[in-house]
Amino acid sequence: MSTYPLAATRRRRRSVRHTLDLRVSPYAYVAPFFLLFCAFGLFPLVYTAWVSLHEWTLLSDTQEFVGLGNYSTLLADGYFWNATLNTLSIGVLSTVPQLLLAIWLAHLLNRRLRFQTLFRISLLLPNVTSVVAVVVIFSQLFGRDFGMINWVLSWFGAGAVDWAAGTATSHIALSVMIMWRWTGYNALIFLAAMQAVPRELYEAATLDGASNFRQLRSVTLPMIRPTIIFVVIVSTIGAMQIIAEPLLFGQSTGSGGGTFATGGPDRQFQTLALYVYEQAFAGSTFDFGYASAASWLMFLAVVIVSGVNFLITRRAKGGIV
Amino acid sequence: MTPRIRLAVPLLAAALLSAACGGGGGGNAAPASAQPGEKIKLTIGLFGDFGFKPLYEEYKKTHPNIEIVENVTQFNDHHNNLVKRLATNAGAGDVEAVEVGYISTFTAQPNKFTDLKQFGLDKRQSDYLDWKWQQGLSKDGGQLLGLGTDVGGLAMCYRKDLFKKAGLPTDRAEVAALWPTWEQYIETGKKFAAADVAGAKFTDSPGEIFRAMVNQAPIGLYDAQDTIIVGSNPDVKKAWDLSNQLTQEGLTAKLAAFSPPWNTGFAKGSFATIICPAWMTGFIQEQAKDATGKWDIATVPGGSGNSGGSHLMVPKQSKHPKEAAELIDFLTSKDNQAKVFKEEGTFPSIPALYDDPSIQNFTKPFFGDAPIGKIYSEAAKALKPQHLGPKEADVRVAIGNGLGRVEQGKQTPDEAWAQVLEDVKKIR
């Protein structure tokens, strides 16, 4: 009898500890991510917004508050819109064929094959290659005077194409580089989704006499639609942020003494991210306030595009199964 | 030199973060002088090969406690990184090289650099070309921020074998006589083009030639009050017109300087002449390894001018400013500038050397034993200094892109010029 209250206290204490554990420890488990996110995600975002409201040069010590001045200058800046259009153009040119190709590749690999693992791993190889190496090699392939692609084209009587000089040609060249790097990666994601499609559906389709292509269209694609939408969103975000390829491509092509950050002398392949880089780090202006404003507008564009895609995802989820 | 790959550092957010966090770093620490015998590591940030490596070895003999680490990056990256490191007060070397196109950008920020006067380096003033010395001073002239390494007196390098094929003279005196003026240079180019030498154009691209022409003028892109005068300076317009004439006559190989295809162009002999400041000779030698004896050097059209040249500076964040200053003093000493010239071709900024027999009689087998020392001494002596403005590099980019648009057939020279003037207006 005398031990009862003690046991009760102990039990109560244990249950307090238990509830505390239940309530608090999940937060402790997720805390590392959120701490890192605050330090490396949220803080830079907010700080960039603060900088964008100032006349802020990297080297000078005085910063003048200008309100939305940078934004209004930016919206009237033709080069900003030029970069936006280039980003969209390169984005579409690289993403659409890339995803089609990735689905097709995944479909081929989804069948029974010898050396299956070897093929699957080799799909990922381009992705683990350094982007610098990729662009340097491709820039040589796309070279005007001694490039292999022009050499091959010459067999068909096509003249030497100055890939970097033209707007369309430079966008194609860059899209090829991006596609080479990301197609296999996306194909693997599609492949993973395809593996989850029940075999019976294919067996039934085969019995019904459906061709390979018909099976892809009528069985595989509808079944992996959520994955497709996921990949589309991720690729869109990636496409909005392309910088390394045009920056390095510009270096290997150059111009009449200009800088690499303008994406060719006519800014024919300057993307948004490259524009931000040019304003902040290239040349001798180091206009941080202006670049911050541009990166905020870029951030908003990414949010809007992703938001639209999110809505599509939700609707598509309802339509599937 | 293999085409060096520049690494993109595109992460604005990361840069911002380090800007915010790094602020409290080493910047405020009082420069502590090292104890005798203490091991000291000095880092030196350069773009390209300055030919300093043998000098480090020599320096270590007399300064056994000092270890020197060289950080070499590409031209644009080097200066951009330096700005970032100054802004974040972290990561800059103890000694940093700054090219003349950027020097006024940095001397306009005297609080970011150590005043070398406090370590007695103002004693070197009498060594230097006066204008070169002035460039290293802060805007008010009160502080000494950088000591010059080299100057880029101009010459014109040409390929003898290609000239021969085109039926042009190959002797350097006769070649020099072909082009006292830029107009005559273009006329010679037309003759070269008429001979139709397979696979070769007269020159690489108009960019560097434009730069040379502007540098020869008494006033360039800026006036003495640091106002951009691109639109009103007739010399700039003339340089623009002549450069575009080169393009329109089809005399250029459309290879922009320092791009990988340009490097290939050296190896393949894609162009017969190239504007050749002293430092370029070292570059040609590295690029056109198989072309020994094919290149030669003649005088440049239009008299002399300066193109390029660098200063060495000590960022304030250096923990060993005294030792860094001593190292600069050593690297830029009269003897060592002469040594570096013979090795790398970068021409000294110490006029006492120009009449020195060891320079005057210096030749290089690669350039067919051309009297390199004599040619560049004459060029440097004839050189009239030009005032450079704070955003020199940006203005040059705007114009360079204009030349590029004409070269790529996107615009007529007039359209391109109108856009250049618009672009230049935006440079603040």
Side-chain angles (χ1 to χ4, degrees):
Chain A
M1 271 302 241
S2 64
T3 57
Y4 176 73
L6 192 65
T9 324
R10 204 179 288 152
R11 209 176 304 141
R12 214 176 306 131
R13 209 180 287 152
R14 202 178 297 151
S15 94
V16 167
R17 214 184 291 150
H18 182 69
T19 28
L20 213 64
D21 182 35
L22 272 183
R23 294 250 169 89
V24 178
S25 39
Y27 294 101
Y29 294 141
V30 296
F33 168 77
F34 281 97
L35 285 178
L36 284 176
F37 172 72
C38 286
F40 295 100
L42 202 60
F43 172 72
L45 208 61
V46 174
Y47 190 65
T48 310
W50 174 245
V51 172
S52 74
L53 301 176
H54 291 76
E55 185 79 55
W56 190 304
T57 311
L58 198 46
L59 265 178
S60 93
D61 291 325
T62 52
Q63 287 101 21
E64 189 195 340
F65 187 82
V66 291
L68 294 175
N70 280 327
Y71 289 92
S72 58
T73 319
L74 194 58
L75 290 176
D77 185 346
Y79 292 154
F80 172 73
W81 294 111
N82 169 58
T84 310
L85 285 180
N86 284 341
T87 308
L88 293 175
S89 157
I90 294 173
V92 170
L93 269 178
S94 61
T95 312
V96 174
Q98 179 193 166
L99 295 186
L100 293 178
L101 198 64
I103 288 181
W104 182 64
L105 273 174
H107 180 65
L108 290 184
L109 283 176
N110 197 24
R111 289 188 281 182
R112 246 167 249 189
L113 273 177
R114 267 187 217 198
F115 312 117
Q116 213 166 30
T117 320
L118 179 78
F119 283 117
R120 286 176 188 173
I121 288 175
S122 60
L123 269 188
L124 207 57
L125 272 183
N127 195 246
V128 296
T129 317
S130 146
V131 61
V132 178
V134 173
V135 181
V136 168
I137 300 286
F138 271 86
S139 300
Q140 290 190 2
L141 293 180
F142 280 107
R144 180 194 57 205
D145 296 335
F146 306 107
M148 197 156 88
I149 291 172
N150 276 347
W151 179 59
V152 172
L153 285 181
S154 69
W155 299 345
F156 306 100
V161 181
D162 194 349
W163 291 94
T167 308
T169 50
S170 62
H171 288 195
I172 291 171
L174 286 168
S175 300
V176 168
M177 296 177 208
I178 297 163
M179 280 169 63
W180 188 80
R181 219 161 102 76
W182 291 103
T183 305
Y185 173 83
N186 287 327
L188 281 189
I189 296 180
F190 285 134
L191 181 61
M194 285 177 190
Q195 305 257 296
V197 179
R199 292 275 134 197
E200 297 80 30
L201 291 178
Y202 292 109
E203 282 159 22
T206 314
L207 282 180
D208 286 345
S211 69
N212 200 338
F213 180 66
R214 184 64 203 257
Q215 289 186 14
L216 173 67
R217 231 184 51 190
S218 304
V219 180
T220 312
L221 288 189
M223 292 301 288
I224 65 164
R225 223 158 101 191
T227 307
I228 294 178
I229 286 153
F230 166 76
V231 170
V232 167
I233 293 176
V234 172
S235 304
T236 316
I237 294 175
M240 297 288 290
Q241 301 174 338
I242 292 164
I243 176 166
E245 285 88 353
L247 180 65
L248 292 159
F249 192 49
Q251 151 161 289
S252 57
T253 53
S255 50
T259 165
F260 310 130
T262 56
D266 205 18
R267 295 171 188 264
Q268 61 264 39
F269 53 90
Q270 185 178 43
T271 58
L272 266 179
L274 191 55
Y275 179 78
V276 171
Y277 176 80
E278 187 206 349
Q279 298 302 324
F281 298 121
S284 46
T285 306
F286 303 106
D287 196 340
F288 239 45
Y290 198 60
S292 300
S295 39
W296 252 91
L297 287 186
M298 193 175 137
F299 172 70
L300 289 182
V302 173
V303 168
I304 290 168
V305 173
S306 313
V308 168
N309 279 326
F310 177 68
L311 292 177
I312 298 170
T313 321
R314 285 232 311 223
R315 282 186 64 186
K317 250 187 194 160
I320 232 157
V321 183
Chain B
M1 198 193 301
T2 51
R4 228 176 265 129
I5 294 152
R6 105 211 200 103
L7 294 169
V9 193
L11 298 172
L12 183 68
L16 274 170
L17 187 76
S18 55
C21 297
N28 305 325
S33 193
Q35 302 301 314
E38 188 191 340
K39 279 272 175 205
I40 292 176
K41 191 168 99 175
L42 292 180
T43 50
I44 174 165
L46 304 173
F47 49 92
D49 191 351
F50 273 57
F52 285 163
K53 281 195 194 89
L55 300 183
Y56 302 149
E57 295 305 316
E58 202 180 308
Y59 193 65
K60 268 183 227 164
K61 279 180 204 153
T62 50
H63 296 76
N65 61 328
I66 291 191
E67 184 197 350
I68 301 168
V69 180
E70 189 178 87
N71 270 332
V72 178
T73 37
Q74 260 209 348
F75 183 76
N76 284 304
D77 294 326
H78 171 79
H79 293 96
N80 294 348
N81 288 341
L82 182 55
V83 169
K84 281 178 239 168
R85 287 163 183 168
L86 291 176
T88 57
N89 265 331
D94 297 292
V95 176
E96 292 279 354
V98 171
E99 204 253 358
V100 68
Y102 283 89
I103 189 74
S104 358
T105 310
F106 290 107
T107 51
Q109 307 293 334
N111 53 343
K112 301 275 184 195
F113 293 96
T114 304
D115 183 1
L116 298 173
K117 270 185 190 161
Q118 71 186 88
F119 301 111
L121 292 199
D122 45 343
K123 68 175 184 228
R124 298 283 312 278
Q125 182 166 6
S126 56
D127 286 351
Y128 274 91
L129 287 166
D130 186 51
W131 59 270
K132 184 77 181 175
W133 182 261
Q134 300 293 336
Q135 283 177 345
L137 299 179
S138 65
K139 224 171 179 181
D140 58 8
Q143 297 179 50
L144 173 62
L145 303 175
L147 244 58
T149 55
D150 63 312
V151 293
L154 290 172
M156 184 69 82
C157 293
Y158 66 98
R159 290 267 305 230
K160 272 185 291 195
D161 56 330
L162 296 177
F163 266 50
K164 196 172 180 187
K165 278 186 199 160
L168 292 168
T170 57
D171 178 75
R172 66 186 72 93
E174 287 174 58
V175 169
L178 288 175
W179 52 55
T181 67
W182 285 105
E183 285 81 358
Q184 282 157 310
Y185 174 76
I186 294 176
E187 288 309 312
T188 312
K190 285 187 197 162
K191 276 180 214 155
F192 183 89
D196 203 16
V197 180
K201 293 284 185 184
F202 188 55
T203 189
D204 55 340
S205 83
E208 293 293 302
I209 289 182
F210 172 83
R211 183 161 111 143
M213 284 192 247
V214 169
N215 289 341
Q216 287 172 340
I219 302 170
L221 307 174
Y222 276 87
D223 67 10
Q225 285 74 45
D226 277 346
T227 315
I228 300 175
I229 48 160
V230 169
S232 57
N233 185 351
D235 286 329
V236 174
K237 186 63 168 46
K238 190 177 168 213
W240 167 268
D241 289 338
L242 288 174
S243 311
N244 280 316
Q245 203 186 332
L246 279 169
T247 303
Q248 290 178 311
E249 299 282 354
L251 304 183
T252 77
K254 301 185 186 178
L255 295 169
F258 306 107
S259 66
W262 183 72
N263 294 341
T264 316
F266 270 116
K268 305 242 179 193
S270 301
F271 41 87
T273 66
I274 184 168
I275 198 82
C276 212
W279 47 265
M280 184 72 92
T281 58
F283 211 88
I284 295 176
Q285 214 172 334
E286 280 174 62
Q287 292 301 332
K289 284 199 176 65
D290 304 333
T292 306
K294 287 181 182 162
W295 284 94
D296 209 323
I297 307 176
T299 56
V300 73
S304 191
N306 185 52
S307 231
S310 302
H311 284 78
L312 296 178
M313 306 172 81
V314 179
K316 221 168 217 161
Q317 51 185 280
S318 165
K319 292 209 173 64
H320 309 289
K322 183 169 170 284
E323 287 76 10
E326 279 167 16
L327 180 63
I328 289 184
D329 190 22
F330 172 79
L331 291 175
T332 59
S333 74
K334 193 176 152 195
D335 289 351
N336 286 332
Q337 289 204 22
K339 272 184 209 160
V340 169
F341 165 65
K342 288 173 191 168
E343 204 53 47
E344 281 297 314
T346 46
F347 199 71
S349 43
I350 296 179
L353 285 170
Y354 299 168
D355 290 319
D356 192 293
S358 78
I359 300 273
Q360 278 283 332
N361 300 332
F362 183 70
T363 60
K364 241 181 199 178
F366 182 88
F367 290 97
D369 287 325
I372 292 192
K374 197 162 187 260
I375 292 174
Y376 287 109
S377 295
E378 299 307 317
K381 278 190 217 165
L383 197 156
K384 289 177 226 78
Q386 190 186 73
H387 175 72
L388 299 174
K391 301 282 158 66
E392 196 80 20
D394 286 338
V395 180
R396 272 199 241 140
V397 166
I399 300 175
N401 276 342
L403 293 169
R405 288 191 296 273
V406 176
E407 200 173 33
Q408 295 186 343
K410 301 221 155 165
Q411 288 178 339
T412 66
D414 287 343
E415 288 165 354
W417 182 245
Q419 192 177 326
V420 165
L421 293 183
E422 279 303 306
D423 287 351
V424 166
K425 250 187 239 161
K426 284 192 223 156
I427 296 170
R428 288 171 285 172

